[in-house]
Amino acid sequence: METRGRIIRCGAALLSLLLLSLVSRVSALSVTVNDVECIYEYVLYEGDTVSGNFVVVDHDIFWSSDHPGIDFVVTSPQGSTVHTLKGTSGDKFEFKAPRSGMYKFCFHNPYSTPETVSFYIHIGHIPTEHDLAKDEHLDPINVKIAELREALESVTAEQKYLKARDARHRHTNESTRRRVIFYTVGEYCLLGLVSGLQVAYIRRLFSKSVAYNRV
Amino acid sequence: MNMKLGGARRLWTVLLVVAVAAVPAARGLWLELPSTGTKCVSEELHNNVVVLGDYYAFVGEDYDANATSTPTITVKVTSPYGNELYHKEKLSHGQFAFSTTESGNYLACFSLDNDLGKKVTVGIDWKIGIAAKDWDSVAKKEKIEGLELELKKLEESVESIHNNLQYLITREADMREVSEMTNARVAWYSSTSLGICIIVAVLQLWYLRRYFQKKKLI
């Protein structure tokens, strides 16, 4: 009887740990934003920290004033706006979820050219003292492990942000390299052509045909 | 003693119910599928990364596990070189798993098979690297559980952070090479451009002088 109770308690502790590990989730993807693109994520507990970042992957913009960036709006399940970022080409965000439910993360593209946005959303839960008091199988060590896990997730989030920004930087570099080559070759050809035309024109001015003999 | 047993069992059933209820509704992120056309999500991955994806489609705004009408979608996963890694049609939920062999942009595209007239949402649970690892089998194989398993997960997480950092360093080195090469090229091409300008001007003058001398104008 005693061992059976212990086994059941052990199983409950294991299950609660499994549940805790399920709670912190990560989602990192790139999506193309034509006009509005919304991503929904479920927040299990009230007070969870929702953190993340997004970077607009650079496409071939001719002059940078063409596209100042996209808008980012987070809506709570009740419909109120929790977080807003306007006109950026990439940023980090973090907020505490006021209540549990389905949160909507929307990217608004005010211009006609479609943009690709690489984003990362992480919802982290750390068991509070309230949870500790409610569930007798939860040790204070679980809180420490959860905090450690959240710290590691924040490092991973920073890395993903860095990787996305690096990708954008690489795009710019490649574009600069291509531009240097094409514009220089074009410049040389144009120079040769223009000087040839100049010479031909001056020759024509001084040619022996009747009307143009006097210059 | 009997009361304590009953209490523990009740707690276990409550946790089990919560775990089972929480898992499908909270799995992955949700995207709205347009009635026509495809919606694609992509991620840039490097070599030798395990990718595990679960997807499920449903009508409306809330996931109902007992829904009678489930919409069918077409799923296509392509590698950066255009190879099709996964292609399934007329499914409402499924799973794909693959290991990357090339580094680049991996694309997963979803489209509706037929327009139902209602809003269709697709849930995608996209896991790469250690998140895609099957921890249950690892726990069973190495006979570890509870705290030890959690700490092992953290250890793997730290290792993956270290690997990612190494990858970022090599990327930065590549980019720095391209930058420096572009810098050198700009200097070289600009001075060549100036040189060509001067040469062409000298040629022009020489040619015109010769021409006018021939025409006995000078």
Side-chain angles (χ1 to χ4, degrees):
Chain A
M1 281 289 217
E2 186 67 40
T3 49
R4 221 175 121 212
R6 216 182 307 145
I7 287 168
I8 287 173
R9 239 169 292 152
C10 239
L14 191 66
L15 201 63
S16 58
L17 276 172
L18 180 71
L19 187 62
L20 278 177
S21 67
L22 277 174
V23 167
S24 338
R25 286 166 298 108
V26 304
S27 304
L29 283 170
S30 299
V31 78
T32 312
V33 181
N34 281 308
D35 186 21
V36 179
E37 196 65 53
C38 287
I39 291 121
Y40 300 84
E41 278 268 12
Y42 195 84
V43 176
L44 274 172
Y45 296 93
E46 179 187 319
D48 276 353
T49 314
V50 181
S51 60
N53 52 64
F54 67 95
V55 173
V56 178
V57 173
D58 193 18
H59 66 133
D60 279 326
I61 40 175
F62 200 67
W63 283 302
S64 71
S65 62
D66 234 9
H67 200 109
I70 58 166
D71 303 331
F72 176 66
V73 177
V74 184
T75 319
S76 76
Q78 290 150 316
S80 60
T81 308
V82 178
H83 199 81
T84 327
L85 282 166
K86 282 208 182 298
T88 68
S89 65
D91 210 348
K92 296 185 267 194
F93 62 89
E94 189 177 318
F95 61 89
K96 233 170 147 75
R99 50 165 285 173
S100 66
M102 205 60 163
Y103 278 74
K104 194 158 85 158
F105 300 80
C106 285
F107 297 102
H108 296 266
N109 186 6
Y111 295 87
S112 49
T113 47
E115 298 280 347
T116 311
V117 179
S118 159
F119 63 88
Y120 173 74
I121 301 168
H122 172 63
I123 298 157
H125 174 77
I126 298 175
T128 57
E129 264 137 38
H130 185 65
D131 296 324
L132 275 178
K134 261 202 305 194
D135 185 6
E136 66 216 25
H137 300 287
L138 227 50
D139 263 329
I141 201 168
N142 290 112
V143 180
K144 277 293 166 205
I145 286 187
E147 279 177 18
L148 196 58
R149 187 176 40 236
E150 286 307 306
L152 284 179
E153 291 291 354
S154 76
V155 176
T156 313
E158 294 282 342
Q159 272 196 330
K160 286 197 156 60
Y161 185 54
L162 206 59
K163 187 169 157 202
R165 284 229 93 105
D166 169 271
R168 191 190 157 105
H169 193 183
R170 204 165 10 98
H171 257 267
T172 312
N173 266 2
E174 289 286 320
S175 168
T176 307
R177 190 182 62 97
R178 272 196 306 267
R179 278 187 191 182
V180 161
I181 292 177
F182 287 145
Y183 292 7
T184 317
V185 168
E187 190 191 327
Y188 293 169
C189 293
L190 203 66
L191 199 64
L193 195 73
V194 163
S195 50
L197 281 173
Q198 276 181 327
V199 166
Y201 184 67
I202 289 174
R203 263 187 70 143
R204 214 164 69 104
L205 282 177
F206 286 94
S207 71
K208 278 270 195 273
S209 63
V210 178
Y212 296 104
N213 229 349
R214 345 167 245 117
V215 163
Chain B
M1 198 159 41
N2 266 340
M3 291 252 282
K4 221 194 236 178
L5 205 62
R9 193 183 298 160
R10 217 179 306 139
L11 178 67
W12 195 4
T13 43
V14 162
L15 278 173
L16 193 67
V17 164
V18 169
V20 165
V23 167
R27 245 182 16 194
L29 48 86
W30 290 0
L31 282 176
E32 280 167 12
L33 264 189
S35 359
T36 53
T38 59
K39 185 153 278 193
C40 294
V41 289
S42 59
E43 191 167 353
E44 195 159 332
L45 300 166
H46 51 106
N47 216 351
N48 280 334
V49 173
V50 178
V51 179
L52 187 67
D54 284 286
Y55 60 91
Y56 51 98
F58 53 92
V59 179
E61 300 237 324
D62 290 307
Y63 180 68
D64 183 13
N66 307 322
T68 45
S69 71
T70 47
T72 56
I73 55 173
T74 308
V75 183
K76 230 188 286 193
V77 180
T78 44
S79 80
Y81 293 124
N83 303 328
E84 227 173 54
L85 294 164
Y86 180 83
H87 181 83
K88 284 267 159 66
E89 299 188 17
K90 295 195 182 5
L91 279 184
S92 69
H93 63 269
Q95 193 188 68
F96 54 85
F98 58 92
S99 194
T100 60
T101 48
E102 310 138 349
S103 113
N105 219 23
Y106 283 79
L107 203 66
C109 290
F110 304 88
S111 57
L112 264 183
D113 281 336
N114 43 355
D115 190 4
L116 291 171
K118 289 175 268 191
K119 194 165 80 156
V120 176
T121 317
V122 64
I124 307 159
D125 196 13
W126 176 275
K127 292 201 267 259
I128 58 169
I130 58 156
K133 201 160 170 177
D134 187 8
W135 286 108
D136 294 329
S137 65
V138 169
K140 261 193 239 136
K141 195 173 72 168
E142 303 193 12
K143 294 189 193 37
I144 52 176
E145 57 170 36
L147 277 177
E148 206 177 329
L149 186 65
E150 286 298 313
L151 288 174
K152 191 155 174 72
K153 279 192 210 173
L154 291 177
E155 189 186 344
E156 296 264 329
S157 186
V158 169
E159 204 176 303
S160 90
I161 286 174
H162 184 74
N163 289 337
N164 274 337
L165 209 52
Q166 297 286 75
Y167 177 64
L168 279 174
I169 287 172
T170 54
R171 292 277 256 198
E172 190 267 337
D174 284 339
M175 207 167 54
R176 201 169 5 101
E177 259 175 49
V178 172
S179 278
E180 287 182 358
M181 190 179 69
T182 308
N183 187 13
R185 275 189 189 172
V186 162
W188 182 238
Y189 290 173
S190 298
S191 47
T192 313
S193 166
L194 188 67
I196 283 185
C197 209
I198 292 173
I199 287 171
V200 161
V202 163
L203 277 173
Q204 271 185 325
L205 285 173
W206 174 79
Y207 181 77
L208 284 172
R209 234 185 83 168
R210 209 181 63 144
Y211 183 71
F212 289 149
Q213 277 171 347
K214 223 165 55 177
K215 298 276 179 192
K216 311 246 190 309
L217 285 166
I218 299 179

